[in-house]
């Protein structure tokens, strides 16, 4: 019997939305694995401040301040851009897309300002 496939996710941003994604995936782990035929794993999370206290506890070895490293990590298949703004968020999104990754964004300003470039 082969091991269950794993889809690795990288979060760029861990504010309200990022923490909500972490909680949802944790709560829905079994149901999502059954529906997808693969286990979802949040492999890395980019934050601005490693020392900031957060209500959602996350293993320190998954945290980084380098969002580009998350977006370009060859082991991550899905990048969630949840950081806001349009500068670094655009760079992260385009870098992940160039590597053939799926990108999920909650960033309406990014899509409004750079949607045509991103979708191309």
């Amino acid at each position: 019997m082969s091991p269950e496939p794993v889809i690795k996710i990288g979060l760029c941003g861990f504010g309200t939305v990022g923490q909500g994604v972490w909680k949802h995936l944790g709560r829905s782990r079994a149901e999502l694995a059954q529906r997808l035929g693969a286990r979802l794993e949040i492999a890395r999370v980019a934050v601005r401040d490693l020392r900031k206290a957060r209500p959602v506890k996350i293993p320190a070895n998954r945290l980084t301040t380098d969002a580009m490293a998350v977006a370009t990590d060859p082991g991550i298949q899905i990048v969630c851009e949840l950081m806001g703004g349009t500068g670094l968020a655009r760079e992260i999104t385009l870098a992940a897309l160039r590597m053939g990754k799926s990108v999920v964004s909650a960033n309406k300003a990014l899509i409004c300002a750079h949607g045509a470039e991103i979708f191309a």
Side-chain angles (χ1 to χ4, degrees):
M1 183 158 106
S2 62
E4 179 180 42
V6 177
I7 298 171
K8 293 191 177 190
I9 299 170
L11 301 182
C12 294
F14 202 61
T16 302
V17 176
Q19 291 178 49
V21 169
W22 177 276
K23 288 182 207 177
H24 176 70
L25 291 178
R27 274 193 312 265
S28 306
R29 183 168 313 206
E31 178 188 350
L32 289 168
Q34 183 179 7
R35 287 172 57 192
L36 296 170
R39 183 170 52 87
L40 296 176
E41 175 188 312
I42 298 178
R44 295 182 73 191
V45 178
V47 297
R48 280 188 222 160
D49 182 357
L50 294 171
R51 297 173 308 222
K52 180 179 178 179
R54 294 176 175 82
V56 173
K57 299 302 175 208
I58 179 170
N61 65 343
R62 293 193 193 178
L63 290 173
T64 180
T65 57
D66 188 350
M68 188 61 76
V70 173
T72 58
D73 182 327
I76 291 175
Q77 292 95 359
I78 300 173
V79 174
C80 295
E81 182 284 301
L82 309 170
M83 57 201 321
T86 59
L88 182 57
R90 174 185 164 273
E91 292 175 35
I92 296 302
T93 299
L94 291 173
L97 289 171
R98 278 196 280 294
M99 292 189 68
K101 299 173 186 289
S102 296
V103 176
V104 177
S105 180
N107 190 334
K108 293 181 275 300
L110 175 67
I111 301 303
C112 185
H114 301 286
E117 177 185 22
I118 290 168
F119 291 121

Coordinates of all heavy atoms in Angstrom, one line a residue, residues 25-94:
L25 N -8.0 24.5 8.1 CA -7.3 23.3 7.6 C -7.1 22.3 8.7 O -7.2 21.1 8.5 CB -6.0 23.6 6.9 CG -6.1 24.3 5.6 CD1 -4.8 24.6 5.0 CD2 -7.0 23.6 4.6
G26 N -6.8 22.8 9.9 CA -6.6 21.9 11.1 C -7.9 21.2 11.5 O -8.0 20.0 11.7
R27 N -9.0 22.0 11.5 CA -10.3 21.4 11.9 C -10.9 20.5 10.8 O -11.6 19.5 11.1 CB -11.3 22.6 12.0 CG -11.4 23.2 13.4 CD -12.6 24.1 13.5 NE -12.8 25.0 12.4 CZ -12.4 26.2 12.3 NH1 -11.8 26.8 13.3 NH2 -12.7 27.0 11.3
S28 N -10.6 20.7 9.6 CA -11.2 20.0 8.5 C -10.2 18.9 7.9 O -10.5 18.4 6.8 CB -11.6 20.9 7.4 OG -12.5 21.9 7.9
R29 N -9.2 18.7 8.5 CA -8.1 17.8 8.0 C -8.6 16.5 7.4 O -8.4 16.1 6.3 CB -7.1 17.5 9.1 CG -5.9 16.7 8.6 CD -4.9 16.7 9.7 NE -4.8 18.1 10.0 CZ -3.7 18.7 10.5 NH1 -2.7 18.1 10.8 NH2 -3.7 20.0 10.7
A30 N -9.4 15.7 8.2 CA -9.8 14.4 7.7 C -10.8 14.5 6.6 O -10.7 13.8 5.6 CB -10.5 13.7 8.9
E31 N -11.7 15.4 6.7 CA -12.7 15.6 5.6 C -12.1 16.0 4.3 O -12.4 15.5 3.2 CB -13.8 16.7 6.0 CG -14.8 16.9 4.9 CD -15.7 18.1 5.2 OE1 -15.7 18.6 6.4 OE2 -16.4 18.5 4.3
L32 N -11.1 17.0 4.4 CA -10.4 17.4 3.2 C -9.6 16.3 2.6 O -9.6 16.1 1.3 CB -9.6 18.6 3.5 CG -10.3 19.9 3.8 CD1 -9.4 21.0 4.4 CD2 -11.0 20.4 2.5
A33 N -8.9 15.5 3.4 CA -8.1 14.4 2.9 C -9.0 13.4 2.2 O -8.6 12.9 1.1 CB -7.3 13.8 4.0
Q34 N -10.1 13.1 2.7 CA -11.0 12.2 2.1 C -11.5 12.7 0.7 O -11.5 12.0 -0.2 CB -12.2 11.9 3.0 CG -13.1 10.8 2.4 CD -14.3 10.5 3.4 OE1 -14.5 11.2 4.4 NE2 -15.1 9.6 3.0
R35 N -11.9 14.0 0.7 CA -12.4 14.6 -0.5 C -11.3 14.7 -1.6 O -11.6 14.5 -2.8 CB -13.0 15.9 -0.2 CG -14.3 15.8 0.5 CD -14.9 17.1 1.0 NE -15.0 18.1 -0.1 CZ -15.3 19.4 0.1 NH1 -15.3 19.9 1.3 NH2 -15.4 20.2 -0.9
L36 N -10.1 15.0 -1.2 CA -9.0 15.3 -2.1 C -8.2 14.0 -2.5 O -7.5 14.0 -3.5 CB -8.1 16.3 -1.6 CG -8.7 17.7 -1.4 CD1 -7.7 18.6 -0.6 CD2 -9.0 18.3 -2.7
G37 N -8.2 13.0 -1.6 CA -7.4 11.9 -1.8 C -5.9 12.2 -1.5 O -5.0 11.5 -1.9
A38 N -5.7 13.3 -0.7 CA -4.4 13.7 -0.3 C -4.5 14.5 1.0 O -5.5 15.1 1.2 CB -3.7 14.5 -1.4
R39 N -3.4 14.4 1.7 CA -3.4 15.2 3.0 C -2.8 16.6 2.7 O -1.9 16.7 2.0 CB -2.5 14.4 4.0 CG -2.4 15.1 5.4 CD -1.7 14.1 6.3 NE -0.5 13.6 5.9 CZ 0.7 14.3 6.1 NH1 0.7 15.5 6.7 NH2 1.8 13.8 5.7
L40 N -3.5 17.6 3.3 CA -3.0 19.0 3.2 C -2.1 19.3 4.4 O -2.5 19.0 5.5 CB -4.1 20.0 3.1 CG -5.1 19.9 1.9 CD1 -6.2 20.8 2.1 CD2 -4.3 20.1 0.6
E41 N -0.9 19.9 4.1 CA 0.0 20.2 5.2 C 0.5 21.6 4.9 O 1.0 21.9 3.9 CB 1.2 19.2 5.1 CG 2.3 19.6 6.1 CD 3.5 18.7 6.0 OE1 3.3 17.4 5.9 OE2 4.6 19.2 5.9
I42 N 0.4 22.5 5.9 CA 1.0 23.8 5.9 C 2.4 23.6 6.3 O 2.8 23.3 7.4 CB 0.2 24.8 6.8 CG1 -1.2 25.0 6.3 CG2 1.0 26.1 6.7 CD1 -2.0 25.9 7.1
A43 N 3.3 23.7 5.3 CA 4.7 23.4 5.5 C 5.5 24.6 6.0 O 6.4 24.4 6.8 CB 5.3 22.9 4.1
R44 N 5.2 25.8 5.5 CA 5.9 27.0 5.9 C 5.0 28.2 6.0 O 4.1 28.3 5.2 CB 7.1 27.3 4.9 CG 8.1 26.2 5.0 CD 9.3 26.4 4.1 NE 10.1 27.5 4.6 CZ 11.1 28.1 3.9 NH1 11.4 27.7 2.7 NH2 11.9 29.0 4.5
V45 N 5.3 29.1 6.9 CA 4.5 30.3 7.0 C 5.5 31.5 7.2 O 6.4 31.5 8.0 CB 3.7 30.2 8.3 CG1 2.9 31.5 8.5 CG2 2.7 29.0 8.3
A46 N 5.3 32.5 6.3 CA 6.1 33.7 6.3 C 5.4 34.8 7.2 O 4.2 35.0 6.9 CB 6.3 34.2 4.9
V47 N 6.1 35.3 8.1 CA 5.5 36.4 9.0 C 6.5 37.5 9.0 O 7.7 37.4 8.6 CB 5.3 35.8 10.4 CG1 4.3 34.7 10.5 CG2 6.6 35.4 11.0
R48 N 6.1 38.7 9.4 CA 7.0 39.9 9.5 C 7.9 39.8 10.8 O 9.0 40.2 10.7 CB 6.1 41.2 9.6 CG 5.6 41.6 8.3 CD 5.0 43.0 8.4 NE 3.8 42.9 7.6 CZ 2.8 43.7 7.7 NH1 2.8 44.7 8.6 NH2 1.8 43.6 7.0
D49 N 7.3 39.3 11.9 CA 8.0 39.3 13.1 C 7.9 37.9 13.8 O 6.8 37.5 14.2 CB 7.4 40.4 14.1 CG 8.1 40.5 15.4 OD1 9.1 39.7 15.7 OD2 7.7 41.4 16.2
L50 N 9.0 37.2 13.9 CA 9.1 35.9 14.5 C 8.7 35.9 16.0 O 8.3 34.9 16.5 CB 10.4 35.2 14.3 CG 10.8 34.9 12.8 CD1 12.3 34.5 12.8 CD2 9.9 33.9 12.3
R51 N 9.0 37.0 16.6 CA 8.8 37.1 18.1 C 7.3 37.5 18.5 O 7.0 37.4 19.7 CB 9.7 38.1 18.7 CG 11.2 37.6 18.5 CD 12.1 38.7 19.0 NE 11.7 39.9 18.3 CZ 12.5 40.8 17.8 NH1 13.8 40.7 18.0 NH2 12.1 41.9 17.2
K52 N 6.6 37.9 17.5 CA 5.2 38.4 17.8 C 4.4 37.2 18.4 O 4.3 36.1 17.9 CB 4.5 38.9 16.6 CG 3.1 39.4 16.8 CD 2.5 39.9 15.5 CE 1.1 40.4 15.7 NZ 0.5 40.9 14.5
A53 N 3.7 37.6 19.5 CA 2.7 36.6 20.1 C 1.5 36.5 19.2 O 1.0 37.5 18.8 CB 2.3 37.0 21.5
R54 N 1.1 35.2 19.0 CA -0.1 35.0 18.1 C -1.0 34.1 18.9 O -0.6 33.1 19.5 CB 0.4 34.3 16.8 CG 1.2 35.2 16.0 CD 1.7 34.5 14.7 NE 2.4 35.5 13.9 CZ 3.7 35.9 14.1 NH1 4.4 35.4 15.1 NH2 4.2 36.8 13.3
P55 N -2.3 34.3 18.7 CA -3.3 33.4 19.3 C -3.2 32.0 18.8 O -3.6 31.0 19.5 CB -4.6 34.1 19.1 CG -4.4 35.2 18.1 CD -3.0 35.4 18.0
V56 N -2.8 31.8 17.6 CA -2.7 30.5 17.0 C -1.3 30.0 17.1 O -0.4 30.7 16.7 CB -3.1 30.5 15.5 CG1 -2.8 29.2 14.8 CG2 -4.6 30.9 15.3
K57 N -1.1 28.9 17.8 CA 0.2 28.4 18.0 C 0.7 27.6 16.8 O 0.0 26.8 16.2 CB 0.3 27.5 19.2 CG -0.1 28.2 20.5 CD 0.8 29.4 20.7 CE 0.4 30.2 21.9 NZ 0.8 31.6 21.9
I58 N 1.9 27.9 16.3 CA 2.5 27.2 15.2 C 3.9 26.8 15.5 O 4.6 27.6 16.2 CB 2.4 28.2 13.9 CG1 3.0 27.5 12.7 CG2 3.0 29.5 14.2 CD1 2.8 28.3 11.4
P59 N 4.3 25.7 15.1 CA 5.7 25.3 15.4 C 6.7 26.3 14.8 O 6.6 26.7 13.7 CB 5.8 23.9 14.7 CG 4.4 23.4 14.5 CD 3.6 24.6 14.4
A60 N 7.7 26.6 15.7 CA 8.7 27.6 15.3 C 9.5 27.2 14.0 O 9.9 28.1 13.3 CB 9.6 27.9 16.5
N61 N 9.7 25.9 13.8 CA 10.4 25.5 12.7 C 9.7 25.7 11.4 O 10.3 25.5 10.3 CB 10.9 24.0 12.8 CG 9.7 23.1 12.8 OD1 8.6 23.4 13.0 ND2 10.1 21.8 12.6
R62 N 8.4 26.0 11.4 CA 7.7 26.3 10.2 C 7.6 27.8 9.8 O 7.2 28.2 8.8 CB 6.3 25.8 10.3 CG 6.2 24.3 10.3 CD 4.9 23.8 10.2 NE 4.8 22.4 10.5 CZ 3.7 21.7 10.5 NH1 2.6 22.2 10.1 NH2 3.7 20.4 10.9
L63 N 8.1 28.6 10.8 CA 8.0 30.1 10.6 C 9.3 30.6 9.9 O 10.4 30.1 10.2 CB 7.8 30.8 11.9 CG 6.5 30.6 12.6 CD1 6.5 31.2 14.0 CD2 5.4 31.2 11.8
T64 N 9.1 31.7 9.1 CA 10.2 32.4 8.5 C 9.8 33.8 8.2 O 8.6 34.1 8.2 CB 10.6 31.7 7.1 OG1 11.7 32.4 6.6 CG2 9.5 31.7 6.1
T65 N 10.8 34.7 8.1 CA 10.5 36.1 7.7 C 10.7 36.3 6.2 O 10.5 37.3 5.7 CB 11.4 37.1 8.4 OG1 12.7 36.7 8.2 CG2 11.1 37.0 9.9
D66 N 11.0 35.2 5.5 CA 11.3 35.3 4.0 C 10.2 34.7 3.2 O 10.2 33.5 2.9 CB 12.6 34.5 3.8 CG 13.2 34.7 2.4 OD1 12.4 35.3 1.5 OD2 14.3 34.3 2.1
A67 N 9.3 35.6 2.8 CA 8.1 35.2 2.0 C 8.5 34.6 0.7 O 7.9 33.7 0.2 CB 7.1 36.3 1.9
M68 N 9.6 35.2 0.1 CA 10.0 34.7 -1.2 C 10.5 33.3 -1.1 O 10.3 32.5 -2.0 CB 11.1 35.6 -1.8 CG 11.5 35.3 -3.2 SD 10.1 35.5 -4.4 CE 10.0 37.2 -4.6
A69 N 11.2 32.9 0.0 CA 11.6 31.5 0.2 C 10.4 30.6 0.3 O 10.5 29.5 -0.2 CB 12.5 31.4 1.5
V70 N 9.3 31.0 0.8 CA 8.1 30.2 0.9 C 7.6 30.0 -0.6 O 7.3 28.9 -1.0 CB 7.0 30.8 1.8 CG1 5.7 30.0 1.7 CG2 7.6 30.8 3.2
A71 N 7.5 31.1 -1.3 CA 6.9 31.1 -2.6 C 7.7 30.3 -3.6 O 7.2 29.7 -4.5 CB 6.8 32.5 -3.2
T72 N 9.0 30.2 -3.4 CA 9.9 29.5 -4.3 C 10.4 28.2 -3.8 O 11.2 27.5 -4.5 CB 11.1 30.4 -4.7 OG1 11.8 30.7 -3.5 CG2 10.7 31.7 -5.4
D73 N 9.9 27.7 -2.7 CA 10.3 26.4 -2.1 C 9.8 25.3 -3.0 O 8.6 25.2 -3.3 CB 9.7 26.3 -0.7 CG 10.0 25.0 0.0 OD1 10.2 23.9 -0.7 OD2 10.1 25.0 1.2
P74 N 10.7 24.5 -3.6 CA 10.3 23.5 -4.6 C 9.3 22.4 -4.0 O 8.6 21.7 -4.7 CB 11.6 22.9 -5.1 CG 12.6 23.3 -4.1 CD 12.1 24.5 -3.4
G75 N 9.3 22.3 -2.7 CA 8.5 21.3 -2.0 C 7.0 21.8 -1.8 O 6.2 21.0 -1.4
I76 N 6.8 23.0 -2.0 CA 5.4 23.6 -1.8 C 4.7 23.7 -3.1 O 5.2 24.3 -4.1 CB 5.6 25.0 -1.1 CG1 6.1 24.8 0.4 CG2 4.2 25.7 -1.1 CD1 6.3 26.1 1.1
Q77 N 3.5 23.1 -3.1 CA 2.7 23.2 -4.4 C 1.7 24.3 -4.4 O 1.3 24.8 -5.5 CB 1.9 21.8 -4.5 CG 2.8 20.6 -4.7 CD 3.1 19.9 -3.5 OE1 2.7 20.3 -2.4 NE2 3.9 18.8 -3.6
I78 N 1.2 24.8 -3.3 CA 0.2 25.8 -3.2 C 0.7 27.0 -2.3 O 1.2 26.7 -1.2 CB -1.1 25.3 -2.7 CG1 -1.7 24.2 -3.5 CG2 -2.1 26.5 -2.6 CD1 -3.0 23.6 -3.0
V79 N 0.7 28.2 -2.9 CA 1.1 29.3 -2.1 C -0.1 30.2 -1.8 O -0.9 30.5 -2.8 CB 2.2 30.2 -2.9 CG1 2.5 31.5 -2.1 CG2 3.4 29.3 -3.1
C80 N -0.4 30.5 -0.6 CA -1.5 31.4 -0.2 C -0.9 32.8 0.1 O -0.1 32.9 1.1 CB -2.2 30.9 1.0 SG -3.0 29.3 0.7
E81 N -1.1 33.7 -0.7 CA -0.6 35.1 -0.5 C -1.7 35.8 0.3 O -2.8 36.2 -0.2 CB -0.4 35.8 -1.9 CG 0.1 37.2 -1.8 CD -0.9 38.2 -1.4 OE1 -1.9 38.4 -2.1 OE2 -0.7 38.8 -0.3
L82 N -1.4 36.1 1.5 CA -2.3 36.6 2.5 C -1.7 37.8 3.2 O -2.1 38.2 4.3 CB -2.8 35.6 3.5 CG -3.2 34.2 2.9 CD1 -3.4 33.2 4.0 CD2 -4.5 34.4 2.1
M83 N -0.7 38.5 2.6 CA 0.0 39.5 3.3 C -0.5 40.9 3.1 O -0.2 41.8 3.8 CB 1.5 39.4 2.9 CG 1.7 39.5 1.4 SD 3.3 38.8 0.8 CE 4.4 39.3 2.0
G84 N -1.3 41.1 2.1 CA -1.8 42.5 1.8 C -0.8 43.3 1.1 O 0.4 42.9 0.8
G85 N -1.2 44.5 0.7 CA -0.3 45.4 -0.1 C -0.2 44.9 -1.5 O -0.8 43.8 -1.9
T86 N 0.5 45.6 -2.4 CA 0.6 45.2 -3.8 C 2.1 45.1 -4.2 O 2.3 44.5 -5.3 CB -0.1 46.3 -4.7 OG1 0.5 47.6 -4.5 CG2 -1.6 46.3 -4.4
G87 N 3.0 45.5 -3.4 CA 4.4 45.4 -3.9 C 5.0 44.0 -3.7 O 5.1 43.3 -4.7
L88 N 5.3 43.7 -2.5 CA 5.9 42.4 -2.2 C 4.9 41.3 -2.6 O 5.3 40.2 -3.1 CB 6.3 42.2 -0.8 CG 7.0 40.9 -0.4 CD1 8.2 40.6 -1.2 CD2 7.3 40.9 1.1
A89 N 3.6 41.5 -2.4 CA 2.6 40.5 -2.7 C 2.6 40.2 -4.2 O 2.5 39.0 -4.6 CB 1.2 41.0 -2.3
R90 N 2.8 41.2 -5.0 CA 2.9 40.9 -6.5 C 4.2 40.1 -6.8 O 4.1 39.1 -7.6 CB 3.0 42.3 -7.2 CG 3.3 42.2 -8.7 CD 3.4 43.6 -9.3 NE 4.1 43.4 -10.6 CZ 5.4 43.4 -10.8 NH1 6.2 43.5 -9.9 NH2 5.8 43.3 -12.1
E91 N 5.3 40.4 -6.2 CA 6.5 39.7 -6.5 C 6.4 38.2 -6.0 O 6.8 37.3 -6.8 CB 7.7 40.3 -5.7 CG 8.1 41.7 -6.2 CD 9.2 42.3 -5.3 OE1 10.0 41.6 -4.8 OE2 9.1 43.6 -5.2
I92 N 5.8 38.0 -4.9 CA 5.6 36.7 -4.3 C 4.7 35.9 -5.3 O 5.0 34.7 -5.6 CB 5.0 36.7 -2.9 CG1 5.9 37.4 -1.9 CG2 4.5 35.4 -2.4 CD1 7.3 36.8 -1.8
T93 N 3.6 36.5 -5.7 CA 2.6 35.8 -6.5 C 3.2 35.4 -7.9 O 3.1 34.3 -8.3 CB 1.4 36.7 -6.7 OG1 0.8 37.0 -5.4 CG2 0.4 36.1 -7.6
L94 N 3.9 36.4 -8.5 CA 4.5 36.1 -9.8 C 5.6 35.0 -9.7 O 5.7 34.2 -10.6 CB 5.0 37.4 -10.4 CG 3.9 38.4 -10.9 CD1 4.6 39.7 -11.3 CD2 3.0 37.8 -11.9

